[in-house]
Amino acid sequence: MAVDTVRLLQTLSDAFGVTGFEDEVREALRALVEPYADEIRTDVLGNLLVTRRGGSGFTVMLDAHLDEIGLIINHVDEKGFLHFATLGGWDTRILPAEAVTVRTREGGKVRGVIGSLPPHILKSEERDKPIPVDSLFIDVGASSAEHAAGLGIRVGDPVVPGHPFEVVREGWLLGKAFDDRAGCAVLVKVLEELAGTTPEATLVMNFAVSEETGLRGARTAAFQIDPQVALAVEATVAADLPGVAPPRQPTGVGKGAAITIADAPSIVSQRMVRALETLAQRHEIRHQLKVPFFGGGTDAGAIQTSRAGVLAGIVSIPVRYIHSPVSLMWLDDFDQVVRLVTAFAREAKTLFTP
Ligand code: CO
């Protein structure tokens, strides 16, 4: 039974999975991949490893990260306000006035808002300045530290700012965590595409923990999987926006699957870039080369340097406003990435066997 793509993206984007606290989204994915997998296991760090056995010993690793950027409570004050530090790469200027979800140790969810001062009471010198993150606080309507504790809130609890999934218009989607739940959804769709066939290569999918805090899960997963080739499937920066010069636009919405040449932790092998381009051309998949950009990286950086080195590439969905509480994606770009990653899964052994 085919998984409805919009519903799949909704389930995954809405799931809670702040970096280091990925258990809920991992369990959601486990249920989604179960019908298609030959083997599923969770490792020590929390990576979800899903195997689809193929007709040879050639192993292809496909990686998408489970985690999303978030916040972590570091103090509850006597008035019941929650103070926090950031987990992953936030632009903290955009945090004030965002609705948040705090997850308690027992798994409860407490909604709140990052407090901000109304313009009425702002001093003129305060208006033009960003608020330092240590002056920000979360208001869950608790009246004291004891009241917050009564709601189950403790120091160390993770928090996610973000909007629930929404279809803006047919094919245009808003969500809090397309980076990288859209990548996770691509891998689910690839499993579905391959159902009932015996792929040439064995596929091991890694739904990775802690990408946003140093590519940690992919590093240990790549060591275990020991693949011949690998692909990181990501949601990347689409910056085809007013006032942004072309060299600062890594990708654009509507231009299809983005193939990376170079980012901060990886220079992708030319052999891999050419193979992905050739696949896209052969299957008439709309694609773009991602403008080399060194302000971020993906799990491919960790996979590439595993053991004696792994031939690793990166294919991404262009998404606007990633690393914010709400991002925008076009379903057609997502579909192009599903087609390219499926073709890679089917043909990698032939492409990379000399
Ligand atoms: Co990402």
Side-chain angles (χ1 to χ4, degrees), residues 69-86:
I69 61 171
L71 313 171
I72 187 164
I73 294 171
N74 58 15
H75 176 61
V76 181
D77 70 27
E78 68 281 2
K79 301 281 189 201
F81 295 106
L82 321 178
H83 300 255
F84 59 87
T86 53

PDB file of all heavy atoms in Angstrom, residues 69-86:
ATOM      1  N   ILE A  69      17.039  21.017  14.802  1.00  0.00           N
ATOM      2  CA  ILE A  69      17.617  21.960  15.766  1.00  0.00           C
ATOM      3  C   ILE A  69      16.556  22.353  16.797  1.00  0.00           C
ATOM      4  O   ILE A  69      15.357  22.309  16.514  1.00  0.00           O
ATOM      5  CB  ILE A  69      18.231  23.199  15.074  1.00  0.00           C
ATOM      6  CG1 ILE A  69      17.196  23.993  14.271  1.00  0.00           C
ATOM      7  CG2 ILE A  69      19.393  22.785  14.180  1.00  0.00           C
ATOM      8  CD1 ILE A  69      17.711  25.337  13.763  1.00  0.00           C
ATOM      9  N   GLY A  70      17.002  22.693  17.995  1.00  0.00           N
ATOM     10  CA  GLY A  70      16.061  23.027  19.060  1.00  0.00           C
ATOM     11  C   GLY A  70      16.736  23.813  20.156  1.00  0.00           C
ATOM     12  O   GLY A  70      17.757  24.474  19.937  1.00  0.00           O
ATOM     13  N   LEU A  71      16.144  23.726  21.340  1.00  0.00           N
ATOM     14  CA  LEU A  71      16.632  24.451  22.501  1.00  0.00           C
ATOM     15  C   LEU A  71      16.670  23.479  23.671  1.00  0.00           C
ATOM     16  O   LEU A  71      16.046  22.422  23.624  1.00  0.00           O
ATOM     17  CB  LEU A  71      15.674  25.607  22.848  1.00  0.00           C
ATOM     18  CG  LEU A  71      15.218  26.504  21.695  1.00  0.00           C
ATOM     19  CD1 LEU A  71      14.110  27.449  22.169  1.00  0.00           C
ATOM     20  CD2 LEU A  71      16.395  27.309  21.133  1.00  0.00           C
ATOM     21  N   ILE A  72      17.410  23.845  24.728  1.00  0.00           N
ATOM     22  CA  ILE A  72      17.434  23.002  25.923  1.00  0.00           C
ATOM     23  C   ILE A  72      17.371  23.898  27.154  1.00  0.00           C
ATOM     24  O   ILE A  72      18.065  24.919  27.225  1.00  0.00           O
ATOM     25  CB  ILE A  72      18.683  22.074  25.901  1.00  0.00           C
ATOM     26  CG1 ILE A  72      18.631  21.065  27.045  1.00  0.00           C
ATOM     27  CG2 ILE A  72      20.005  22.865  25.923  1.00  0.00           C
ATOM     28  CD1 ILE A  72      19.595  19.888  26.857  1.00  0.00           C
ATOM     29  N   ILE A  73      16.506  23.519  28.087  1.00  0.00           N
ATOM     30  CA  ILE A  73      16.288  24.351  29.271  1.00  0.00           C
ATOM     31  C   ILE A  73      17.500  24.272  30.203  1.00  0.00           C
ATOM     32  O   ILE A  73      17.969  23.180  30.532  1.00  0.00           O
ATOM     33  CB  ILE A  73      15.005  23.913  30.009  1.00  0.00           C
ATOM     34  CG1 ILE A  73      13.812  24.214  29.096  1.00  0.00           C
ATOM     35  CG2 ILE A  73      14.842  24.630  31.352  1.00  0.00           C
ATOM     36  CD1 ILE A  73      12.520  23.650  29.567  1.00  0.00           C
ATOM     37  N   ASN A  74      18.014  25.450  30.588  1.00  0.00           N
ATOM     38  CA  ASN A  74      19.163  25.449  31.496  1.00  0.00           C
ATOM     39  C   ASN A  74      18.861  26.127  32.840  1.00  0.00           C
ATOM     40  O   ASN A  74      19.709  26.157  33.732  1.00  0.00           O
ATOM     41  CB  ASN A  74      20.408  26.056  30.829  1.00  0.00           C
ATOM     42  CG  ASN A  74      20.190  27.481  30.356  1.00  0.00           C
ATOM     43  OD1 ASN A  74      19.229  28.136  30.754  1.00  0.00           O
ATOM     44  ND2 ASN A  74      21.080  27.967  29.505  1.00  0.00           N
ATOM     45  N   HIS A  75      17.647  26.657  33.004  1.00  0.00           N
ATOM     46  CA  HIS A  75      17.287  27.264  34.287  1.00  0.00           C
ATOM     47  C   HIS A  75      15.785  27.518  34.320  1.00  0.00           C
ATOM     48  O   HIS A  75      15.202  27.933  33.322  1.00  0.00           O
ATOM     49  CB  HIS A  75      18.049  28.593  34.459  1.00  0.00           C
ATOM     50  CG  HIS A  75      17.682  29.337  35.711  1.00  0.00           C
ATOM     51  ND1 HIS A  75      17.882  28.810  36.964  1.00  0.00           N
ATOM     52  CD2 HIS A  75      17.130  30.561  35.903  1.00  0.00           C
ATOM     53  CE1 HIS A  75      17.466  29.685  37.873  1.00  0.00           C
ATOM     54  NE2 HIS A  75      17.003  30.752  37.261  1.00  0.00           N
ATOM     55  N   VAL A  76      15.180  27.251  35.457  1.00  0.00           N
ATOM     56  CA  VAL A  76      13.779  27.630  35.669  1.00  0.00           C
ATOM     57  C   VAL A  76      13.803  28.644  36.810  1.00  0.00           C
ATOM     58  O   VAL A  76      14.259  28.323  37.915  1.00  0.00           O
ATOM     59  CB  VAL A  76      12.912  26.409  36.050  1.00  0.00           C
ATOM     60  CG1 VAL A  76      11.454  26.831  36.236  1.00  0.00           C
ATOM     61  CG2 VAL A  76      13.017  25.305  34.992  1.00  0.00           C
ATOM     62  N   ASP A  77      13.346  29.872  36.535  1.00  0.00           N
ATOM     63  CA  ASP A  77      13.487  30.900  37.591  1.00  0.00           C
ATOM     64  C   ASP A  77      12.309  30.881  38.568  1.00  0.00           C
ATOM     65  O   ASP A  77      11.325  30.148  38.377  1.00  0.00           O
ATOM     66  CB  ASP A  77      13.785  32.279  36.991  1.00  0.00           C
ATOM     67  CG  ASP A  77      12.611  32.904  36.249  1.00  0.00           C
ATOM     68  OD1 ASP A  77      11.443  32.591  36.582  1.00  0.00           O
ATOM     69  OD2 ASP A  77      12.860  33.712  35.326  1.00  0.00           O
ATOM     70  N   GLU A  78      12.423  31.680  39.618  1.00  0.00           N
ATOM     71  CA  GLU A  78      11.425  31.623  40.701  1.00  0.00           C
ATOM     72  C   GLU A  78      10.038  32.074  40.245  1.00  0.00           C
ATOM     73  O   GLU A  78       9.026  31.747  40.858  1.00  0.00           O
ATOM     74  CB  GLU A  78      11.912  32.408  41.932  1.00  0.00           C
ATOM     75  CG  GLU A  78      12.014  33.919  41.797  1.00  0.00           C
ATOM     76  CD  GLU A  78      13.276  34.393  41.056  1.00  0.00           C
ATOM     77  OE1 GLU A  78      14.088  33.546  40.584  1.00  0.00           O
ATOM     78  OE2 GLU A  78      13.442  35.618  40.928  1.00  0.00           O
ATOM     79  N   LYS A  79       9.989  32.821  39.108  1.00  0.00           N
ATOM     80  CA  LYS A  79       8.687  33.260  38.576  1.00  0.00           C
ATOM     81  C   LYS A  79       8.087  32.237  37.606  1.00  0.00           C
ATOM     82  O   LYS A  79       7.048  32.476  37.002  1.00  0.00           O
ATOM     83  CB  LYS A  79       8.841  34.594  37.829  1.00  0.00           C
ATOM     84  CG  LYS A  79       9.394  35.729  38.682  1.00  0.00           C
ATOM     85  CD  LYS A  79       8.309  36.326  39.561  1.00  0.00           C
ATOM     86  CE  LYS A  79       8.822  37.597  40.238  1.00  0.00           C
ATOM     87  NZ  LYS A  79       8.019  37.912  41.433  1.00  0.00           N
ATOM     88  N   GLY A  80       8.822  31.153  37.350  1.00  0.00           N
ATOM     89  CA  GLY A  80       8.298  30.105  36.470  1.00  0.00           C
ATOM     90  C   GLY A  80       8.686  30.266  35.002  1.00  0.00           C
ATOM     91  O   GLY A  80       8.176  29.527  34.151  1.00  0.00           O
ATOM     92  N   PHE A  81       9.579  31.231  34.707  1.00  0.00           N
ATOM     93  CA  PHE A  81      10.054  31.380  33.321  1.00  0.00           C
ATOM     94  C   PHE A  81      11.205  30.407  33.072  1.00  0.00           C
ATOM     95  O   PHE A  81      12.024  30.157  33.954  1.00  0.00           O
ATOM     96  CB  PHE A  81      10.503  32.820  33.049  1.00  0.00           C
ATOM     97  CG  PHE A  81       9.367  33.809  33.122  1.00  0.00           C
ATOM     98  CD1 PHE A  81       9.238  34.682  34.214  1.00  0.00           C
ATOM     99  CD2 PHE A  81       8.410  33.847  32.112  1.00  0.00           C
ATOM    100  CE1 PHE A  81       8.181  35.580  34.286  1.00  0.00           C
ATOM    101  CE2 PHE A  81       7.347  34.748  32.183  1.00  0.00           C
ATOM    102  CZ  PHE A  81       7.230  35.613  33.275  1.00  0.00           C
ATOM    103  N   LEU A  82      11.265  29.891  31.838  1.00  0.00           N
ATOM    104  CA  LEU A  82      12.280  28.901  31.477  1.00  0.00           C
ATOM    105  C   LEU A  82      13.369  29.584  30.657  1.00  0.00           C
ATOM    106  O   LEU A  82      13.069  30.254  29.671  1.00  0.00           O
ATOM    107  CB  LEU A  82      11.670  27.767  30.644  1.00  0.00           C
ATOM    108  CG  LEU A  82      10.271  27.276  31.049  1.00  0.00           C
ATOM    109  CD1 LEU A  82       9.806  26.178  30.078  1.00  0.00           C
ATOM    110  CD2 LEU A  82      10.268  26.766  32.488  1.00  0.00           C
ATOM    111  N   HIS A  83      14.615  29.399  31.061  1.00  0.00           N
ATOM    112  CA  HIS A  83      15.749  29.952  30.317  1.00  0.00           C
ATOM    113  C   HIS A  83      16.402  28.804  29.548  1.00  0.00           C
ATOM    114  O   HIS A  83      16.277  27.646  29.935  1.00  0.00           O
ATOM    115  CB  HIS A  83      16.703  30.650  31.280  1.00  0.00           C
ATOM    116  CG  HIS A  83      16.005  31.773  32.022  1.00  0.00           C
ATOM    117  ND1 HIS A  83      16.207  33.088  31.719  1.00  0.00           N
ATOM    118  CD2 HIS A  83      15.057  31.733  32.992  1.00  0.00           C
ATOM    119  CE1 HIS A  83      15.419  33.835  32.495  1.00  0.00           C
ATOM    120  NE2 HIS A  83      14.709  33.028  33.281  1.00  0.00           N
ATOM    121  N   PHE A  84      17.082  29.120  28.448  1.00  0.00           N
ATOM    122  CA  PHE A  84      17.527  28.032  27.567  1.00  0.00           C
ATOM    123  C   PHE A  84      18.819  28.349  26.835  1.00  0.00           C
ATOM    124  O   PHE A  84      19.218  29.504  26.715  1.00  0.00           O
ATOM    125  CB  PHE A  84      16.432  27.715  26.545  1.00  0.00           C
ATOM    126  CG  PHE A  84      16.033  28.888  25.671  1.00  0.00           C
ATOM    127  CD1 PHE A  84      16.718  29.168  24.505  1.00  0.00           C
ATOM    128  CD2 PHE A  84      14.964  29.710  26.032  1.00  0.00           C
ATOM    129  CE1 PHE A  84      16.354  30.248  23.697  1.00  0.00           C
ATOM    130  CE2 PHE A  84      14.592  30.790  25.241  1.00  0.00           C
ATOM    131  CZ  PHE A  84      15.285  31.065  24.071  1.00  0.00           C
ATOM    132  N   ALA A  85      19.444  27.300  26.351  1.00  0.00           N
ATOM    133  CA  ALA A  85      20.568  27.393  25.415  1.00  0.00           C
ATOM    134  C   ALA A  85      20.106  26.793  24.095  1.00  0.00           C
ATOM    135  O   ALA A  85      19.085  26.097  24.046  1.00  0.00           O
ATOM    136  CB  ALA A  85      21.764  26.615  25.965  1.00  0.00           C
ATOM    137  N   THR A  86      20.831  27.068  23.026  1.00  0.00           N
ATOM    138  CA  THR A  86      20.437  26.544  21.716  1.00  0.00           C
ATOM    139  C   THR A  86      21.145  25.217  21.432  1.00  0.00           C
ATOM    140  O   THR A  86      22.268  24.990  21.873  1.00  0.00           O
ATOM    141  CB  THR A  86      20.768  27.547  20.591  1.00  0.00           C
ATOM    142  OG1 THR A  86      22.146  27.910  20.701  1.00  0.00           O
ATOM    143  CG2 THR A  86      19.924  28.792  20.700  1.00  0.00           C
TER     144      THR A  86
END
